[in-house]
Amino acid sequence: MNFSYRYRAEDSAVELPAADYVARFRDAQRIAEYCRACPSYGSSWGCPPFGFSVEEYLSGYATALVVATKIVPEQEGLPLSEAGRLMRPERKRIEARLLDMERRIGGRSFAYVGTCLHCPEGSCTRPDGNPCRHPDRVRPSLEACGFDVGRTARELFGIELKWDVEGRMPEYLTLVCGFFHNAGHIVWNG
């Protein structure tokens, strides 16, 4: 069966100096503990541990564009197991846009925490010690690089992250991504 749920997605974007975003919202040690506690730690090319210095990965950019996408399902009380059906199309839309921005203006995009969109679920090559099939498309999330997205959503967008209640989706889901760049001002229209 293929179920489709209707929802509304709203993007909000904030630009700020990259150094300010790093100083205010990055708590690498605390967030790394959450990553290490995740059962998927080290099993996806978008997740830590990384084979590069995150500090170097973040350096050299003047501006951070941070985007929050609020996904509001029309139907209340959907099973949490269906959250991916609402998030996946939005992740695809925004990740494609971020990668296009990388190609056109340079910079570095930060995708979303969770399952990679580019290989079928459970088929990542990392657990087998093989190279990523899609290194041109896989990007780490802000969380994977030590950023507190709960605090980011709350302080930059006025959005409180919501969690499931007894296996049911909350009233809305929130995705937070980013784009570090040196291109001046970028307008993000959702």
Side-chain angles (χ1 to χ4, degrees):
M1 275 188 252
N2 187 10
F3 293 102
S4 178
Y5 299 109
R6 295 177 56 87
Y7 65 89
R8 181 180 77 250
E10 305 163 354
D11 291 347
S12 300
V14 171
E15 265 191 336
L16 66 160
D20 289 356
Y21 183 62
V22 170
R24 283 180 56 198
F25 295 97
R26 187 161 187 258
D27 188 349
Q29 290 182 347
R30 183 173 62 85
I31 303 299
E33 288 301 317
Y34 297 144
C35 287
R36 281 191 283 276
C38 176
S40 298
Y41 181 76
S43 64
S44 166
W45 286 110
C47 294
F50 298 117
F52 58 84
S53 162
V54 174
E55 285 72 20
E56 287 178 27
Y57 192 76
L58 297 172
S59 69
Y61 298 102
T63 305
L65 171 70
V66 183
V67 179
T69 303
K70 191 173 181 181
I71 303 168
V72 184
E74 284 186 7
Q75 185 179 344
E76 292 182 23
L78 293 172
L80 184 62
S81 60
E82 297 296 308
R85 291 185 194 269
L86 278 70
M87 291 188 294
R88 186 172 181 80
E90 295 307 311
R91 285 183 58 190
K92 284 178 135 179
R93 173 183 67 88
I94 294 170
E95 286 186 30
R97 187 169 176 186
L98 291 170
L99 290 174
D100 179 62
M101 288 167 51
E102 274 187 13
R103 284 187 290 277
R104 286 185 302 105
I105 61 176
R108 189 169 310 279
S109 52
F110 297 85
Y112 302 103
V113 72
T115 305
C116 172
L117 297 175
H118 310 293
C119 288
E121 192 168 337
S123 69
C124 182
T125 59
R126 188 171 184 181
D128 298 326
N130 294 320
C132 178
R133 292 181 192 103
H134 306 284
D136 58 322
R137 293 186 280 174
V138 174
R139 298 296 181 271
S141 66
L142 288 168
E143 296 96 321
C145 292
F147 289 95
D148 184 332
V149 295
R151 186 167 169 226
T152 295
R154 184 175 52 255
E155 292 184 19
L156 294 182
F157 301 100
I159 299 172
E160 285 294 329
L161 296 185
K162 300 284 186 175
W163 306 102
D164 70 300
V165 176
E166 297 178 358
R168 299 285 175 194
M169 262 188 252
E171 63 190 89
Y172 60 83
L173 304 167
T174 307
L175 298 171
V176 179
C177 67
F179 184 68
F180 282 37
H181 64 90
N182 292 318
H185 177 64
I186 296 176
V187 175
W188 182 280
N189 295 323

